[in-house]
Amino acid sequence: MNDIKKAASIIQNGGLVAFPTETVYGLGADACSQSACLKIFEAKGRPSNNPLIVHVASLQDAKNIVQFNDNAEKLASLWPGPLTLVLPKKDNAELAQCVTAGLNTVAIRIPADSVALSLIKASGRPIAAPSANKSGTLSSTNYEHVKKNFGDEIFILTSNSQSAYGLESTIIDLTSSVPTILRFGFITPCTLEKLLGKKVEIASKLSEIKAPGMLLKHYSPKTKLRLKAESLRSSEVGLNFGNSQLNVVGSMNLSLSADTIEAAANLFDYLHVLDEFCLKNNIDSIAVADIPNIGIGLAINDRLARAAE
């Protein structure tokens, strides 16, 4: 039995599988099984009020679960891809209650990663999946990160490389007349506004939790982060961007060329590396260089701000 068939069998029988996507690794279960999806919350230590994203393999599969509107039709042109739509749940959708955290809305997307799509198709189930890490900790963008979180507790589908984008999907709420971004990601507000032909709003940090990634404290290493650093203090290591000079033994640079796409892809992996380095060498904090808060930089800074809370 190959790995996809084995993973699909685990999903069909109520188990958990960690699998790669183009964003980050996901920890998946049959989205229609309450007992299976509760295992996600237990394995991650995830708060029960934090909904899960449902991953499907086709537009029709999505339309069987949620009620589409004109805005959703426009943005679905970005699927498969790193975009999650929050839409009203259809009355006949057989989703586990814990997937939506009791809400009447569903966060849903079609992933672009070939392994993820193969798993969804082989299992014949919509798959509910948050990031494959313990709740509140750094997201996993490769096999080793997942292994560090769960050991042999979870079956892990492998990939030949890091996650392509390295950041969780953009999430946009389309349940009202004003589309609202709930979580920044690789798909930028500018891209969304061009497709929609209208302005989008940004959810407040105090907004109702309708999708993953909205908790104030999230994506955190064990080591403290200090943001917008211009120089190093004692007992710090640097996470640089472009020509910033936070240089000491162990420091890393998200992108020497100041490319936010490259920086996003490297963010969680480099934070994993620096966190381990700091813990091993009794270093107090990671000083993070300033990153422009435009385009994909919005998503990078969102993750860093929540990690530093």
Side-chain angles (χ1 to χ4, degrees), residues 32 35 37 45 50 135 174-175 192 207 228 249 252 283-284 302:
C32 299
S35 60
C37 289
N50 199 1
S135 186
L174 299 178
T175 59
L192 296 171
S207 297
K228 298 184 181 297
V249 173
M252 303 181 77
I283 294 172
D284 293 337
D302 171 73

Side-chain angles (χ1 to χ4, degrees), residues 5-34:
K5 287 184 178 179
K6 180 178 179 180
S9 177
I10 292 171
I11 294 290
Q12 291 165 347
N13 287 284
L16 302 182
V17 171
F19 62 96
T21 79
E22 75 279 20
T23 57
V24 298
Y25 261 77
L27 181 63
D30 178 356
C32 299
S33 169
Q34 178 79 350

Side-chain angles (χ1 to χ4, degrees), residues 154-204:
I154 305 293
F155 180 73
I156 309 171
L157 274 173
T158 59
S159 176
N160 294 327
S161 61
Q162 285 272 123
S163 300
Y165 298 129
L167 292 175
E168 295 82 358
S169 60
T170 302
I171 303 179
I172 186 165
D173 182 4
L174 299 178
T175 59
S176 67
S177 59
V178 182
T180 303
I181 294 176
L182 304 183
R183 179 175 74 186
F184 290 115
F186 194 83
I187 305 297
T188 64
C190 180
T191 297
L192 296 171
E193 288 175 346
K194 284 181 180 178
L195 283 170
L196 291 170
K198 65 176 78 173
K199 296 289 289 184
V200 301
E201 290 190 353
I202 310 301
S204 159

Side-chain angles (χ1 to χ4, degrees), residues 86-168:
V86 174
L87 290 163
K89 180 170 72 75
K90 283 193 167 179
D91 291 339
N92 61 350
E94 297 179 356
L95 291 182
Q97 186 176 19
C98 65
V99 169
T100 63
L103 300 172
N104 60 1
T105 56
V106 181
I108 195 164
R109 84 179 186 101
I110 303 175
D113 185 271
S114 60
V115 176
L117 286 172
S118 294
L119 173 61
I120 298 166
K121 291 173 183 176
S123 68
R125 306 280 202 276
I127 294 181
S131 54
N133 55 288
K134 297 294 184 178
S135 186
T137 66
L138 292 170
S139 296
S140 299
T141 57
N142 62 41
Y143 173 90
E144 294 301 328
H145 297 162
V146 183
K147 192 76 171 176
K148 182 169 68 173
N149 274 273
F150 298 106
D152 295 324
E153 176 187 348
I154 305 293
F155 180 73
I156 309 171
L157 274 173
T158 59
S159 176
N160 294 327
S161 61
Q162 285 272 123
S163 300
Y165 298 129
L167 292 175
E168 295 82 358

Side-chain angles (χ1 to χ4, degrees), residues 58-77:
S58 72
L59 184 58
Q60 186 55 55
D61 289 342
K63 290 183 175 181
N64 290 339
I65 295 171
V66 292
Q67 185 67 51
F68 263 57
N69 54 34
D70 289 344
N71 288 332
E73 294 286 356
K74 292 173 182 176
L75 294 186
S77 64

